[in-house]
C-alpha cells in the first residue's frame, strides 16, 4: 500500500490552471472511523455517487454497515457484500449479455484488479482535494487531451506501460492504482453512464470525458514533474 505523502498546494494550483480542469480533483479516503466529522452517510450506487461529487463539488461517504449502496456490481467489486464470482457471472452473461459465455466472463473477472482486503469494511470518503488531505487515491474527470498530459507526467522519470481492461466497472477506479501500481484509465462503463447515470432525465457523465485515477504517490510524481516536462508547465 502506498504511504501518505503531503501535497505541494502551490504546485497543485499551478497544475489545475495549466490543464484547465473543468471538474474538481477528488481524493478517495478509506477510514476506520468518521465520528470526529459530521459527514452524512449516503445510499446510492457507487458510480452515480462518484458522478454526483464531480458535478456538485460535494462530499460523499459510503459504508454498508450504516447505509447500503444500490448496485450489486458495486457490492461485488467494493466488497461491501459477500457476492461470489458465479453470481457476478450470471449478471454479466445471463442478465446483461455483456459476454457471450461463462468462459469469457471468467477471463474478464480474473484480469480485473481486485479491491485489497485491507480496505474491506472501511468508510469510503470521496471529496474535493484540499490542502491538508491525505487520500489514498486521486481521481480526475478529464477529456482525452488532459488525460494524456497527466499520464505523460507520471511517466517523465520512469516510463511504463498502462494496461486497459475493456468493460471495466467505474467503481474500480476508487482502488485500482493501489493494486496495479500504474495509472488507471476508465472510460466509464456503459451501464454506469447511460442507465444508472441517468438522473431526472439528464446524464451526469459527459460523453467527452473519462476517468483517470492515481495513487497519492503517483500524483506527487505528477506535481514534481510538472515544471520539468512540456506535458506540464515547462517551456523552452
Amino acid at each position: 500500500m502506498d504511504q501518505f505523502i503531503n501535497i505541494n498546494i502551490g504546485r497543485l494550483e499551478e497544475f489545475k490552471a495549466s490543464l484547465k480542469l473543468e471538474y474538481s480533483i477528488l481524493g478517495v479516503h478509506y477510514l476506520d472511523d468518521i465520528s470526529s466529522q459530521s459527514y452524512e452517510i449516503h445510499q446510492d450506487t457507487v458510480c452515480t455517487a462518484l458522478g454526483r461529487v464531480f458535478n456538485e463539488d460535494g462530499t460523499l461517504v459510503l459504508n454498508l454497515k450504516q447505509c447500503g449502496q444500490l448496485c450489486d456490481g458495486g457490492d461485488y467489486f467494493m466488497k461491501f457484500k459477500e457476492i461470489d464470482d458465479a453470481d457476478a457471472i450470471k449478471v454479466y452473461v445471463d442478465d446483461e449479455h455483456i459476454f457471450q459465455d461463462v468462459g469469457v466472463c471468467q477471463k474478464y473477472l480474473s484480469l480485473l484488479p481486485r479491491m485489497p482486503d485491507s480496505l474491506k469494511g472501511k468508510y469510503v470518503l470521496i471529496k474535493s482535494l484540499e490542502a491538508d488531505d491525505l487520500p489514498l487515491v486521486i481521481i480526475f474527470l478529464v477529456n482525452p487531451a488532459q488525460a494524456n498530459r497527466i499520464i505523460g507526467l507520471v511517466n517523465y522519470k520512469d516510463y511504463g506501460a498502462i494496461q486497459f481492461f475493456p468493460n471495466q466497472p467505474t467503481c474500480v477506479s476508487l482502488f485500482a492504482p493501489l493494486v496495479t501500481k500504474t495509472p488507471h484509465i476508465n472510460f466509464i462503463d456503459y451501464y454506469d453512464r447511460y442507465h444508472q447515470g441517468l438522473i431526472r432525465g439528464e446524464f451526469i457523465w459527459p460523453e467527452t470525458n473519462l476517468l483517470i485515477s492515481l495513487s497519492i504517490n503517483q500524483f506527487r510524481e505528477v506535481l514534481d514533474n510538472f515544471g520539468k516536462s512540456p506535458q506540464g508547465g515547462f517551456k523552452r
Side-chain angles (χ1 to χ4, degrees), residues 107-122:
K107 185 175 183 180
Y108 162 74
L109 294 178
S110 72
L111 291 173
L112 286 180
R114 296 295 182 110
M115 185 176 181
D117 285 336
S118 60
L119 302 181
K120 184 177 179 180
K122 293 183 180 291

Side-chain angles (χ1 to χ4, degrees), residues 79-128:
K79 296 185 178 179
F80 285 145
K81 292 182 180 178
E82 296 297 331
I83 298 176
D84 61 27
D85 287 357
D87 289 333
I89 289 170
K90 181 180 182 301
V91 172
Y92 276 114
V93 177
D94 297 337
D95 299 340
E96 296 187 9
H97 303 280
I98 300 299
F99 301 107
Q100 175 178 273
D101 54 44
V102 170
V104 177
C105 191
Q106 286 176 328
K107 185 175 183 180
Y108 162 74
L109 294 178
S110 72
L111 291 173
L112 286 180
R114 296 295 182 110
M115 185 176 181
D117 285 336
S118 60
L119 302 181
K120 184 177 179 180
K122 293 183 180 291
Y123 292 93
V124 184
L125 169 65
I126 307 170
K127 62 188 291 290
S128 297

Side-chain angles (χ1 to χ4, degrees), residues 49-60:
L50 181 61
R52 289 185 196 276
V53 179
F54 273 119
N55 282 281
E56 299 172 8
D57 198 20
T59 298
L60 173 83

